[in-house]
């Protein structure tokens, strides 16, 4: 019996602190508090927080008196033991506060809002307390209303500073303040109509219809009643019908109201799931080609001896069909499957392809879902229903779901940087985290891609991961032909039309005449990234960041892509007064604008962040393109990520040099991946596609390897550079960014921190240096990087790093400095 034991609970709070907090469990809640449940605890002076129970014990805190847990929200845990271990690993490895991990993991509607409310004190006796007129008015109001907040009371008596009055009433034990915890999660409901109890009997219903038929004006009412005769369950009982369905059938509001007044119908709200999960007929799997069959056999063999296997298959090789076969094997064994995708857009196409085979067993989880939908998915995964949500398709946040029987994790397009979380903390990489998650659940992990990350391919080559290669496209289709347009030569010969070479435009015209489609890739959104005055070189800058403003023609404003600051375009230079302002560079919006003049009879659309902000915008654009309603699709890197279109026969890469010349040690790797991936969109159905890359350096070694689809050649070249200069995969990187609004303090603090780091890590410390963009959102930045050998003890390195940072903050003038830690930055 735990009834009279003095128990304590360590809890995780959603605050950016690295430790847990200990609270005392009231005797009456001893049997109700469990690890993984949510509890309400006081935190700070008068606020309540939702916490997750981490551990229950009898150890009395020695340094402080613990407060009591106020309430328990769950009768059963909503977070599993495996999840808590996973959160702790994320926190340790990525050096993130455990509270930040909780914030990232839980849908926000499972974390409850807190508002101070007031009510009459249960011990208040009007005979013993003398109240003035104002105080009496408050008490009278509360006796009628029972509970209300501070603002409501302030408005009631017309006093802006009501706090002294409330304070006095609290001291006199007239009022009591309480934290009103309200659940943010509200199940979705729909308004339905159902037959009143009397008319649930078919004989009575038939008599009603006969009575209504006596008057011709009752025709609409008869239609309304007849609708219910067509909606019965397997036991022939009448079912409720959604109001929206009845309205679509032509039954008006006035008809429904009339039938309700007559006592025939009644309106009721019913809870429904927010996830559209229509049951679909399962179809047999597609037959695999000989190379796919061989890859499937190798993959199954590899998974017997390796926890992680890399499936390296060229674009269009049919990796998805192989995934389908393996997924079915794991479903047959009763396991859950997690299918991670780098981009929300990919879920649209993949759902369509997988639902043909798996129907209602598929669930989708990503950030474009609202919080109520995310709560429902969370609960369904936690329930581990053997018939529903066995396969979860999702972006990086899906790794935090409460899996109970996870057996397989597939990370598609594993090389993508989208798997990395940048802001806010925790700055985790879902690909790497999924490998650890797999180990915790004893699940197998498949990493699939046509262009593996250098670290992944190195691990596969070293035997740490299994390696299966699929080197030919499905049905023997040839890889696209890659050609180059030398823009230096084209400009010299005056063959450029704005940003398009003659070579590219002629190829586009030829393809479009055949009713085929074109994809154009430019990794920059907006109209033009830079305005400049011809006379004095003035450029419009962001007020909050150290960047120039990008012009967006559609919205007709200049915008900062870092903080969102916007301003109207100027007609003349504010520095010298000249009206000779040039637009330099081009983004996706300008390409769309100019192509509409060249191909005026064609439908041209963009796929970028500006056009896909709405929940269903991705799928609408992709669906239109897939159905042939769009001729030319212009996109940023969104178009490079695993999309599959049958009628695309030309891909144009408009500015390869911008990708190749970035000041980053990963620039060549990213260039190869992006250009190879977007090239892979060309030529998918019985015909070889064509890729045209516009560049000023067609002899660049990376471009030559792209044209030959030679990933192994690229890897062999690049791995030597990485080894020579101590970069991943041979060394691990940890980035520390010092941030503050005062540039002098940033300079001083970053030098001090770098000096303390060098005392321990010696020559492994690089910096401090200003990044390319020195100020973002009014915060100046300086970066320090650590290069740590792979063989170094990770735990000791991070413990020492925490120790140095704690010592750094001992200086009072550094208290307001913020240090952002990014482990394994991309």
């Amino acid at each position: 019996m735990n009834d009279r034991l003095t128990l304590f609970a360590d809890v995780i709070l959603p605050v950016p602190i690295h430790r847990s907090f200990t609270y005392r469990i009231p005797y009456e809640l001893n049997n109700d508090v469990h690890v993984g449940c949510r509890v309400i605890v006081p935190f700070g002076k008068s606020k309540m927080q939702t916490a997750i129970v981490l551990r229950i014990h009898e150890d009395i805190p020695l340094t402080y008196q613990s407060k009591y847990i106020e309430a328990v929200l769950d009768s059963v845990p909503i977070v599993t033991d495996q999840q808590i271990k996973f959160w702790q690993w994320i926190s340790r490895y990525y050096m993130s506060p455990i509270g930040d991990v909780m914030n990232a993991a839980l849908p926000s509607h499972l974390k409850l809002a807190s508002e101070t409310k007031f009510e009459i004190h249960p011990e208040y006796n009007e005979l013993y307390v003398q109240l003035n007129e104002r105080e009496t008015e408050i008490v009278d109001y509360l006796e009628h209303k029972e509970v209300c907040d501070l603002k409501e009371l302030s408005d009631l008596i017309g006093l802006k500073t009501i706090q002294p009055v409330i304070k006095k009433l609290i001291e006199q034990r007239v009022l009591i303040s309480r934290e009103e915890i309200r659940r943010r999660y509200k199940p979705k409901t729909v308004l339905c109509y159902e037959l009143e109890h009397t008319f649930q009997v078919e004989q009575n219903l038939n008599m009603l219809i006969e009575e209504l038929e006596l008057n011709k004006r009752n025709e609409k009412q008869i239609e309304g009643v007849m609708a219910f005769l067509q909606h019965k369950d397997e036991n022939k009982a009448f079912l409720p019908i959604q109001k929206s369905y009845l309205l679509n059938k032509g039954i008006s509001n006035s008809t429904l109201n009339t039938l309700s007044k007559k006592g025939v119908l009644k309106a009721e709200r019913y809870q429904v799931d927010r996830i559209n999960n229509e049951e679909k007929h399962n179809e047999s799997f597609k037959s695999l080609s000989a190379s796919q069959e061989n890859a499937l056999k190798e993959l199954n063999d590899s998974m017997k001896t390796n926890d992680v296997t890399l499936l390296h298959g060229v674009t269009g090789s049919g990796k998805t069909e192989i995934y389908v076969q393996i997924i079915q094997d794991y479903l047959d064994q009763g396991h859950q499957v997690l299918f991670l995708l780098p981009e929300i857009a990919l879920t649209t196409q993949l759902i369509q392809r997988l639902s043909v085979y798996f129907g209602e067993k598929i669930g989708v989880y990503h950030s474009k879902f609202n919080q109520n939908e995310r709560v429902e998915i969370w609960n369904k995964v936690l329930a581990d229903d053997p018939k529903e949500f066995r396969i979860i398709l999702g972006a990086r946040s899906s790794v935090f779901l409460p899996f109970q029987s996870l057996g397989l994790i597939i990370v598609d397009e594993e090389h993508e940087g989208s798997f990395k979380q940048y802001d806010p903390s925790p700055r985790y990489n879902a690909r790497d985290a999924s490998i650890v998650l797999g180990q915790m659940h004893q699940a197998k992990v498949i990493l699939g891609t046509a262009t593996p990350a250098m670290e992944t391919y190195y691990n596969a080559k070293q035997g740490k991961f299994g390696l299966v290669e699929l080197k030919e496209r499905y049905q023997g289709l040839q890889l696209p032909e890659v050609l180059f347009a030398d823009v230096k030569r084209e400009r010299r010969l005056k063959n450029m039309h704005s940003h398009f070479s003659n070579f590219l435009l002629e190829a586009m015209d030829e393809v479009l005449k055949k009713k085929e489609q074109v994809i154009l890739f430019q990794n920059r959104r907006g109209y033009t990234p830079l305005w400049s005055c011809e006379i004095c070189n003035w450029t419009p800058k962001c007020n909050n960041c150290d960047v120039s403003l990008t012009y967006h023609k559609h919205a007709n404003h200049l915008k900062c892509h870092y903080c969102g600051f916007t301003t109207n375009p100027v007609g003349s230079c504010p520095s010298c007064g000249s009206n000779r302002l040039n637009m330099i560079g081009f983004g996706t919006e300008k390409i769309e604008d100019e192509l509409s003049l060249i191909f005026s009879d064609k439908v041209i659309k963009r796929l970028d962040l500006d056009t896909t902000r709405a929940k269903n915008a991705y799928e609408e654009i992709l669906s239109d393109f897939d159905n042939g309603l769009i001729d030319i699709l212009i996109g940023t890197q969104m178009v490079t990520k695993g999309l599959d279109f049958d009628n695309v026969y030309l891909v144009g890469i408009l500015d390869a040099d911008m990708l190749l010349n970035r000041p980053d040690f990963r620039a060549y790797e990213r260039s190869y991946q992006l250009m190879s991936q977007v090239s892979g969109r060309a030529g998918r159905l019985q015909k070889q596609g064509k890729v045209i890359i516009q560049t000023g350096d067609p002899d660049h070694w990376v471009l030559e390897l792209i044209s030959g689809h030679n990933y192994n050649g690229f890897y062999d070249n690049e791995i030597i550079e990485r080894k020579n200069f101590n970069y991943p995969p041979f060394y691990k990187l940890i980035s520390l960014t010092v941030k503050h609004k005062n540039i002098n303090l940033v300079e001083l603090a970053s030098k001090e921190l770098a000096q303390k780091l060098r005392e321990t890590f010696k020559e492994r410390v690089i910096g401090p240096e200003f990044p390319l963009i020195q100020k973002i959102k009014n915060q100046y930045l300086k970066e320090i990087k650590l290069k740590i050998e792979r063989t170094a003890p990770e735990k000791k390195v991070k413990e020492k790093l925490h120790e140095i940072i704690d010592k750094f903050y001992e200086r009072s003038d550094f208290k307001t400095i913020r240090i952002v830690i990014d482990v394994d930055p991309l």
Side-chain angles (χ1 to χ4, degrees), residues 777-826:
K777 297 180 182 176
N778 281 321
Q779 299 274 311
Y780 290 95
L781 317 175
K782 270 214 151 178
E783 288 182 349
I784 301 167
K785 282 194 166 57
L786 288 179
K787 285 185 178 179
I788 307 294
E789 296 89 341
R790 285 264 168 192
T791 53
E794 179 197 308
K795 187 178 177 184
K796 285 185 179 177
V797 167
K798 287 169 183 173
E799 282 175 356
K800 192 64 185 175
L801 197 48
H802 275 304
E803 187 184 310
I804 291 167
I805 290 170
D806 289 344
K807 202 166 185 180
F808 166 85
Y809 278 122
E810 286 175 4
R811 274 188 58 167
S812 58
D813 52 337
F814 291 163
K815 295 290 185 187
T816 55
I817 288 283
R818 187 175 167 221
I819 298 173
V820 175
I821 304 172
D822 190 359
V823 178
D824 300 336
L826 290 182

Side-chain angles (χ1 to χ4, degrees), residues 137-198:
E137 189 178 359
I138 290 173
V139 171
D140 288 345
Y141 186 74
L142 274 169
E143 282 179 336
H144 169 71
K145 187 80 186 292
E146 291 188 358
V147 178
C148 64
D149 60 26
L150 200 65
K151 184 178 184 303
E152 196 174 343
L153 292 174
S154 177
D155 293 340
L156 171 72
I157 62 173
L159 186 64
K160 192 173 182 181
T161 53
I162 195 174
Q163 288 86 345
V165 179
I166 298 297
K167 182 173 179 287
K168 182 184 172 187
L169 288 170
I170 290 171
E171 288 169 353
Q172 292 176 314
R173 300 175 75 80
V174 175
L175 298 188
I176 184 169
S177 67
R178 75 174 189 179
E179 287 296 314
E180 178 69 20
I181 303 297
R182 56 180 173 85
R183 290 179 179 265
R184 286 187 186 171
Y185 170 60
K186 293 179 183 175
K188 183 180 178 181
T189 60
V190 292
L191 184 63
C192 297
Y193 280 89
E194 61 185 337
L195 292 167
E196 285 284 7
H197 182 71
T198 306

Side-chain angles (χ1 to χ4, degrees), residues 214-232:
L214 297 175
N215 190 333
K216 289 183 179 179
R217 287 185 296 180
N218 292 335
E219 187 180 336
K220 289 292 181 184
Q221 293 177 43
I222 294 168
E223 284 179 21
V225 173
M226 293 294 289
F228 287 87
L229 282 169
Q230 298 162 14
H231 282 75
K232 298 179 183 179

Side-chain angles (χ1 to χ4, degrees), residues 340-482:
L340 280 176
L341 297 158
E343 198 69 61
I344 293 165
L346 295 185
T347 61
T348 305
Q349 279 206 335
L350 201 61
I351 289 166
Q352 292 168 354
R353 293 167 74 177
L354 294 187
S355 60
V356 170
Y357 307 121
F358 302 115
E360 74 279 3
K361 291 180 181 176
I362 298 171
V364 184
Y365 190 80
H366 55 62
S367 59
K368 285 286 172 78
F369 275 17
N370 67 46
Q371 292 301 324
N372 285 325
E373 290 171 322
R374 296 180 82 165
V375 169
E376 284 177 2
I377 295 165
W378 181 284
N379 290 334
K380 285 177 181 290
V381 174
L382 183 64
D384 199 20
D385 187 323
K387 294 181 180 177
E388 194 176 27
F389 275 42
R390 305 308 292 165
I391 307 165
I392 293 294
L393 297 182
R396 58 177 179 259
S397 58
S398 306
V399 296
F400 291 117
L401 285 168
F403 296 102
Q404 302 274 28
S405 54
L406 186 62
L408 175 67
I409 302 172
I410 297 171
V411 186
D412 199 25
E413 310 296 346
E414 65 81 26
H415 65 279
E416 279 289 348
S418 306
F419 284 123
K420 173 74 172 177
Q421 164 83 8
Y422 292 99
D423 271 313
S425 167
R427 294 170 181 83
Y428 66 99
N429 188 315
R431 177 198 63 203
D432 300 341
S434 69
I435 293 171
V436 175
L437 184 67
Q439 290 170 351
M440 289 180 174
H441 284 267
Q442 297 183 320
K444 298 296 183 180
V445 180
I446 299 173
L447 308 176
T449 180
T451 53
M454 293 293 292
E455 293 89 335
T456 304
Y457 204 65
Y458 176 79
N459 284 331
K461 286 285 192 182
Q462 295 297 306
K464 188 177 178 182
F465 299 165
L467 176 61
V468 175
E469 303 204 87
L470 189 54
K471 295 184 177 178
E472 62 180 61
R473 279 186 155 186
Y474 183 62
Q475 295 181 336
L477 185 66
Q478 285 183 290
L479 287 161
E481 179 186 14
V482 180

Side-chain angles (χ1 to χ4, degrees), residues 457-515:
Y457 204 65
Y458 176 79
N459 284 331
K461 286 285 192 182
Q462 295 297 306
K464 188 177 178 182
F465 299 165
L467 176 61
V468 175
E469 303 204 87
L470 189 54
K471 295 184 177 178
E472 62 180 61
R473 279 186 155 186
Y474 183 62
Q475 295 181 336
L477 185 66
Q478 285 183 290
L479 287 161
E481 179 186 14
V482 180
L483 304 169
F484 299 103
D486 186 342
V487 291
K488 282 184 182 175
R489 181 174 176 275
E490 295 274 296
R491 284 195 182 100
R492 196 167 56 247
L493 297 173
K494 300 190 179 343
N495 283 340
M496 292 293 289
H497 299 267
S498 183
H499 306 290
F500 311 102
S501 62
N502 250 358
F503 185 36
L504 176 61
L505 290 176
E506 286 170 5
M508 287 176 67
D509 189 47
E510 183 183 336
V511 165
L512 292 169
K513 279 178 180 173
K514 295 176 185 174
K515 305 295 183 187

